[in-house]
Amino acid sequence: MSTLGWKGIRVRHRDGRTGVICGESPTFSYAQLEICVDGGGRAFVQLNVNGPDAGEPGWEWWCENVNGGARWLDLGDHNRAEPVA
């Protein structure tokens, strides 16, 4: 059973890997998401309430219910490029 609703969500990485969120560990101030990579391996992304998100950047998740239609969205704010000064 998914406590936060992330388990089972399809994901992809900028390097071409794909997978599914297979685990979620909620706490008071963050949620750690475990990604089961297709073909083997694991990756982790941590969504923090306070401060920037952590874990492996470059992951996106498939959001089926978003204004403007289904699309890939960044999984965590640490995926964003730094602004150019």
Side-chain angles (χ1 to χ4, degrees):
M1 180 176 188
S2 180
T3 305
L4 301 174
W6 283 104
K7 286 176 87 172
I9 298 290
R10 289 186 306 146
V11 294
R12 70 178 185 185
H13 194 274
R14 285 184 288 221
D15 66 9
R17 290 179 289 163
T18 59
V20 65
I21 297 175
C22 58
E24 55 185 24
S25 299
T27 70
F28 179 71
S29 61
Y30 67 89
Q32 182 159 327
L33 305 179
E34 179 180 7
I35 298 169
C36 292
V37 179
D38 294 338
R42 307 264 187 203
F44 297 90
V45 172
Q46 183 171 302
L47 305 176
N48 295 311
V49 172
N50 297 312
D53 295 333
E56 184 180 339
W59 287 100
E60 299 175 318
W61 65 285
W62 181 247
C63 182
E64 294 183 6
N65 188 19
V66 65
N67 190 20
R71 65 179 171 263
W72 291 99
L73 300 173
D74 285 342
L75 183 56
D77 61 16
H78 62 296
N79 285 327
R80 295 189 192 124
E82 291 297 318
V84 176

